[in-house]
Amino acid sequence: RADALVCVFGDHITAARHVSSSMVRCPVQGVSTSIKLCYEGLGCSNSLELRRADAPVIERAEPSVIPVGGGLVKFHGSGFEELGGASCHFGDVVVAASRHDHDLVACEAPPLAPGAYPSSVAFDDVSSSSTTIRVVSKPAVARVTPAIVGLSGGRVTVQGGAFPADLEALCAFDGTVVPARRLSTTSVSCAAPP
C-alpha cells in the first residue's frame, strides 16, 4: 500500500509519494539532517544524511534576446554548486546543460517561435527562479539608400523587416557600430561613418 510509506525527519512524519521502483518524494519538514523511510509493518530504513541548500537563483541571462534559430544562453546566478543533472527550460522545452559551474549554467536554446519564454535552470528536481528569454525573428534588410555615401560619411536608410520597436537598433559598417534611429517597424536611419 502506497499510503503506508512515510518519511521521518527527526520527530516529523510526512507521507511519501511513490515516483518509481527506486524513487520516492518526501516533503521536507523541520531542520533535521537525516531522513528514514518507514513502511507500515516492515520497519524503517537506515538513517540517511539529508543535505539542504537554498533553491538556485538566476541573477541574469546573457543574452536575454535570441534569434528564432536558437543560440547559446548563459544563466548566471547562485545556488548552482554541487547540484547535478543541470538542464535549462525555455517555456515547455527542456535541454541539457552544455556547461555547469557553481555560478553559471549554459545551454544551447533550440529553435523557437518568436515570443517571450519563461526560462529557468533545473538540477534534477530542484528548479531555479524564472527569467524571461525573448525570441525574435532575425532582421531582414531589403534595401539601403543611398547605396553609396561620400568619404565624409552620410545618413543612410535601411529598409526591411523584423525591427522590433522595443529593442535597440544598431547599424554596423564593417567594424564600426552606430546607433540607429527607428523610422518604423520596417525602416531605420543610421549615420554612416567617414
Side-chain angles (χ1 to χ4, degrees):
R1 296 180 354 182
D3 62 342
L5 184 62
V6 295
C7 300
V8 179
F9 303 93
D11 295 334
H12 299 280
I13 299 173
T14 61
R17 186 167 66 89
H18 181 265
V19 176
S20 70
S21 62
S22 62
M23 183 186 298
V24 295
R25 286 206 176 121
C26 302
V28 177
Q29 292 188 355
V31 292
S32 177
T33 58
S34 66
I35 181 175
K36 289 192 272 185
L37 293 177
C38 299
Y39 197 75
E40 184 181 317
L42 296 177
C44 296
S45 70
N46 56 328
S47 184
L48 302 172
E49 181 181 345
L50 178 65
R51 187 168 103 48
R52 298 179 67 160
D54 292 331
V57 174
I58 294 175
E59 294 165 3
R60 72 183 188 284
E62 293 176 350
S64 60
V65 178
I66 61 173
V68 294
L72 184 68
V73 177
K74 295 178 181 178
F75 295 96
H76 299 268
S78 60
F80 298 170
E81 57 275 324
E82 296 185 36
L83 297 172
S87 62
C88 297
H89 298 239
F90 299 96
D92 294 333
V93 179
V94 180
V95 297
S98 59
R99 181 175 170 200
H100 171 205
D101 293 323
H102 72 282
D103 61 350
L104 172 78
V105 172
C107 292
E108 195 68 36
L112 296 165
Y117 291 83
S119 301
S120 61
V121 294
F123 304 92
D124 297 324
D125 284 342
V126 180
S127 290
S128 73
S129 55
S130 179
T131 190
T132 300
I133 298 293
R134 183 148 169 225
V135 177
V136 296
S137 297
K138 184 177 180 181
V141 174
R143 183 172 62 209
V144 177
T145 54
I148 299 173
V149 295
L151 293 175
S152 60
R155 185 154 290 279
V156 297
T157 299
V158 180
Q159 295 178 321
F163 302 154
D166 59 336
L167 294 179
E168 180 182 17
L170 303 169
C171 291
F173 299 91
D174 292 323
T176 305
V177 177
V178 297
R181 185 171 47 111
R182 189 175 313 284
L183 303 174
S184 71
T185 57
T186 59
S187 66
V188 296
S189 175
C190 302

